[in-house]
Amino acid sequence: MGRQFFVGGNFKMNGTIKSITSIIENLNTAKLDEKTASTPADVGESEVVIAPPALYLLLAREHLREGIEVAAQNIFDKPNGAFTGEVSAEQIRDSGIGWVLAGHSERRVILGEDDKVMHADPEVFEKFVASKTKAALDSGLSVILCVGETLEQREAERTIEVVTQQLQAVANTVTDWSKIVIAYEPVWAIGTGKVATTAQAQEVHAAIRHWLSSKVSSEAAAATRILYGGSVSEKNCRELAKQDDIDGFLVGGASLKPACKWHLSDIVYL
């Protein structure tokens, strides 16, 4: 059976009660079961998940129609304790939220959440993104795991090396990938208006699927959805969606359009 197409909207630190309510109203009336020529015949309607700022998670969950899910943009990797400003996976799950993002480049780069971050115990260095991912999975959440390279790394021809290292950090901690969706987001394309060519995106997605096959399992490689993110819009998503190893999108700025409606392989602004 084909992999279910997936569209995620990451609102980042944007939105108000008014604007997010408007987006939700439009999503509630969107047709999410339409097929296109690029959609496998055995795939049903697309899966849609939105990630508003933490303050609006409950607003979104309360007003979104059944079948559209909500994701937290971040969690901490401890269940509770003296971690001011953080939210645990258990608290997210207790609030009826089913998804969380992990490893987004803005957190890796701006907030220093790379593969090694010192925790409260100065003697312990943990794989932070991997630890968050495991905490989420252990709490019953599904994870959108973000990976991607910088422009400097791409120009040095290290894209596959960097992306697979990021994935391996998680594989060292997690064995069950059935509730993980991978999002490949080239850092140099996020919010810049630049986008990887179709060939560039497909090359990396194919390499990720090969890595899954060799390092996790052939079953995980066949079943795991791999999304593309990085200045995705209605102008470029059609061609990207036709690629064998691109199973959907993680959209940033485009998901904030108040009249945005999602379809299986394109984004239409009405």
Side-chain angles (χ1 to χ4, degrees), residues 154 159-160 197-208 245-246:
R154 171 163 282 279
T159 295
I160 306 303
T197 66
T198 301
Q200 286 174 326
Q202 168 58 24
E203 178 187 19
V204 179
H205 281 235
I208 291 172
D245 294 296
I246 296 180

Side-chain angles (χ1 to χ4, degrees), residues 8-10 12 104-106 146-149 183-198 200-201 205 227-237 240 246 248-255 267:
N10 178 17
K12 308 188 181 185
H104 194 281
S105 66
E106 289 158 2
C146 303
V147 297
E149 84 285 7
Y184 166 58
E185 295 191 299
V187 179
W188 49 272
I190 298 175
T192 64
K194 298 179 180 179
V195 63
T197 66
T198 301
Q200 286 174 326
H205 281 235
L227 317 180
Y228 176 76
S231 297
V232 176
S233 72
E234 79 283 8
K235 296 179 180 179
N236 57 37
C237 62
L240 287 165
I246 296 180
F249 304 109
L250 181 59
V251 187
S255 68
I267 303 167

Side-chain angles (χ1 to χ4, degrees), residues 96-151:
I97 309 302
W99 287 81
V100 67
L101 274 66
H104 194 281
S105 66
E106 289 158 2
R107 297 198 66 87
R108 290 182 189 266
V109 175
I110 299 173
L111 300 175
E113 295 185 359
D114 54 10
D115 286 337
K116 291 185 179 180
V117 173
M118 185 178 289
H119 277 209
D121 183 348
E123 300 297 323
V124 178
F125 281 85
E126 292 187 331
K127 304 288 187 180
F128 200 27
V129 173
S131 185
K132 286 185 175 188
T133 301
K134 185 176 187 304
L137 295 174
D138 287 348
S139 295
L141 299 175
S142 297
V143 177
I144 301 173
L145 174 62
C146 303
V147 297
E149 84 285 7
T150 65
L151 182 59

